Amino acid sequence: MSDRLIYLDNNATTQVDEQVLEEMLPYLKGEYANPSSMYTFAKKSSNAIKEARVKVKEFVNAESEREIIFTSCGTESANTAIRGVLSMNKDKRHIITTKVEHPCVLNVYKSLEKQGYNVDYIGVNSNGELDLEELSNKVNGDTALVSVMYANNETGVINPIDKVSEIIKSKNKNTKLYVDAVQVAGKIPIDVQACGADMLGISGHKFHAPKGVGALYVNSKTIITPLIIGGHQEKGKRAGTENVPYIAGLGKACEIAQENLHYEATEVKRLRDKLEQGILKNIFNARLNTGVANRVPNTTNIGFEYVEGELILLHMSDLGICASSGSACTSGSLEPSHVLRAMNVPFTAIHGSIRFSLSKYTTEKDIDYVNSVMPEIIEKIVKLSPYQDELAELRRRKGV
Ligand code: PLP
């Protein structure tokens, strides 16, 4: 076991920024008033929410802070948007999403399908890029909602949301677009007006705020019914006493993330590319699962052919390196990820696919260390593979 920690799993969650924590602390200590209370003591709490709402509004470039609703996470944002907009449009029964969405969208769609909705799941090509022609062919007069993620959590592949919106609105101007932007917040700029999203969700813990806070943008022309019903908080769109410290933290995280976008696009990307090139150059059975697709700067998804991803992760973990595999262990059987399956990643690589996701805290030393140990890890595991003939053939083809 190593006491080293190299955290390359930032698409799963991130470290809380010190400045975010500082912003939160007063509301966990002396400033504990309920923001809905009338007395002066509650002013600081209610102002903290007001200020955070403006920061989120600026972060996504909404027209007004009235278009921002605070939620508990990305999953709640998606559920609120999807269920909320459909319950205002009960006569329309057709909805569309993609085959590679996060379960917080995909499983909501599956439950709606069971309730009688007609659902189309749009595919992607082998690089993970959305089939825009298929999308265009599916939108019709009965389409109430389309949900398309801004970037995929496993591959980092970015969808051209402006084009998606243009296609949808040209076919049916009443169809609403929900954008799950959880994996782009803090990585690339978000501009809800330029990209044409009617609703868009983010989650604090993916960009250095704590777990348990998120936000949903709903433009002023889109009406939703609330998912959580109770008091009048969030203008009746999300009941429950506001989580003041976490909301203040989310606002600060948005402010910091906006300032950090240039660093993400340059330095984080440089380190991601260095890691990726190091692995692809030095490991004969490694392949980049996304080819030339446009991706967020922090993510790479690499398939190691004829080996098991879980074994790779265990060896990495022994050295203090955290990443994640494209497989989900469900009821004892190893199911390859629905995202990599939708991309038709060859069966030889799908089980050995690893996602590395960096952050502003990733250092050059981290990447140099990972690049120095990965070839040994893979060589060890290759020796255990039942596919020795295929591996020998692969070595011959690669000339190693
Ligand atoms: N959407 C995407 C693309 C995600 O990657 C995640 C989390 O991994 C979520 C939604 C869910 O966010 P949360 O964990 O805040 O519910």
Side-chain angles (χ1 to χ4, degrees):
M1 274 300 173
S2 162
D3 47 15
R4 185 193 302 269
L5 176 65
I6 297 180
Y7 187 74
L8 300 180
D9 202 16
N10 288 280
N11 287 8
T13 198
T14 59
Q15 181 183 343
V16 174
D17 189 303
E18 253 332 291
Q19 293 177 70
V20 169
L21 183 62
E22 286 298 315
E23 189 82 9
M24 294 170 62
L25 281 175
Y27 309 101
L28 289 164
K29 292 182 171 175
E31 301 295 343
Y32 55 81
N34 186 321
S36 300
S37 299
M38 291 301 294
Y39 34 79
T40 316
F41 175 47
K43 263 274 161 278
K44 280 218 171 118
S45 296
S46 59
N47 279 345
I49 297 177
K50 261 191 214 149
E51 281 167 25
R53 205 182 301 280
V54 171
K55 286 174 188 168
V56 176
K57 172 225 156 195
E58 281 168 4
F59 184 56
V60 301
N61 196 32
E63 211 175 294
S64 158
E65 58 269 27
R66 285 189 295 277
E67 296 172 313
I68 306 298
I69 302 166
F70 290 112
T71 64
S72 65
C73 60
T75 301
E76 188 191 323
S77 296
N79 273 262
T80 305
I82 297 168
R83 293 188 188 280
V85 86
L86 291 180
S87 65
M88 291 306 296
N89 268 299
K90 287 217 169 90
D91 51 324
K92 300 243 175 79
R93 302 303 290 172
H94 179 232
I95 53 178
I96 300 176
T97 190
T98 82
K99 289 184 178 168
V100 298
E101 293 298 299
H102 187 271
C104 75
V105 168
L106 221 39
N107 288 338
V108 177
Y109 268 66
K110 284 187 182 149
S111 94
L112 290 164
E113 202 172 357
K114 283 194 189 125
Q115 288 168 32
Y117 276 91
N118 288 319
V119 185
D120 277 307
Y121 299 93
I122 307 299
V124 294
N125 67 13
S126 60
N127 290 337
E129 295 158 316
L130 192 64
D131 187 338
L132 295 177
E133 205 179 313
E134 190 188 356
L135 173 67
S136 173
N137 291 335
K138 295 291 183 192
V139 181
N140 63 48
D142 192 39
T143 312
L145 173 71
V146 177
S147 287
V148 175
M149 67 198 327
Y150 214 137
N152 185 271
N153 43 305
E154 290 186 34
T155 61
V157 173
I158 299 173
N159 287 317
I161 298 298
D162 50 348
K163 283 199 193 118
V164 166
S165 172
E166 223 176 274
I167 289 169
I168 297 167
K169 303 289 176 182
S170 73
K171 288 297 197 76
N172 181 347
K173 66 178 179 18
N174 296 320
T175 300
K176 296 295 181 184
L177 171 62
Y178 175 65
V179 177
D180 173 354
V182 166
Q183 289 294 346
V184 294
K187 297 171 187 170
I188 59 170
I190 300 176
D191 184 333
V192 288
Q193 298 186 67
C195 78
D198 295 303
M199 300 175 288
L200 177 143
I202 58 172
S203 173
H205 75 103
K206 308 290 185 178
F207 61 107
H208 309 292
K211 295 155 197 66
V213 66
L216 171 64
Y217 157 80
V218 180
N219 74 16
S220 54
K221 295 181 207 84
T222 302
I223 301 175
I224 61 165
T225 55
L227 186 69
I228 300 176
I229 298 167
H232 289 105
Q233 294 90 353
E234 299 297 289
K235 299 219 158 29
K237 293 202 183 102
R238 202 273 188 180
T241 301
E242 300 90 336
N243 189 351
V244 183
Y246 283 60
I247 288 171
L250 181 71
K252 187 68 186 175
C254 286
E255 198 178 70
I256 298 169
Q258 191 66 29
E259 286 163 10
N260 199 55
L261 283 175
H262 179 70
Y263 185 85
E264 286 281 328
T266 52
E267 201 52 16
V268 175
K269 180 178 184 298
R270 184 183 71 74
L271 290 176
R272 187 275 309 269
D273 291 347
K274 185 177 187 184
L275 172 71
E276 185 173 285
Q277 281 150 23
I279 291 175
L280 294 174
K281 179 165 158 257
N282 297 320
I283 303 180
F284 78 101
N285 63 337
R287 77 190 283 279
L288 183 61
N289 283 330
T290 47
V292 295
N294 182 27
R295 291 172 295 161
V296 286
N298 80 319
T299 308
T300 182
N301 192 306
I302 296 177
F304 297 92
E305 298 206 67
Y306 302 108
V307 292
E308 280 298 337
E310 275 62 32
L311 261 184
I312 304 173
L313 289 182
L314 286 176
H315 279 74
M316 287 167 64
S317 176
D318 282 347
L319 298 175
I321 307 166
C322 308
S324 87
S325 81
S327 305
C329 192
T330 42
S331 55
S333 69
L334 286 178
E335 277 257 316
S337 107
H338 69 287
V339 176
L340 301 183
R341 268 186 291 151
M343 291 162 67
N344 277 323
V345 170
F347 88 96
T348 53
I350 202 164
H351 290 280
S353 287
I354 303 291
R355 175 188 74 187
F356 299 88
S357 47
L358 288 66
S359 82
K360 62 181 179 181
Y361 297 121
T362 308
T363 64
E364 189 103 38
K365 230 168 108 190
D366 291 342
I367 296 305
D368 288 343
Y369 180 72
V370 177
N371 271 340
S372 75
V373 297
M374 282 306 290
E376 268 172 66
I377 291 177
I378 300 298
E379 270 311 318
K380 257 192 228 162
I381 300 170
V382 154
K383 288 203 179 90
L384 306 172
S385 169
Y387 296 98
Q388 291 305 319
D389 291 346
E390 289 84 353
L391 283 159
E393 173 59 23
L394 194 57
R395 277 191 213 273
R396 255 196 306 281
R397 263 194 279 137
K398 294 264 173 98
V400 287

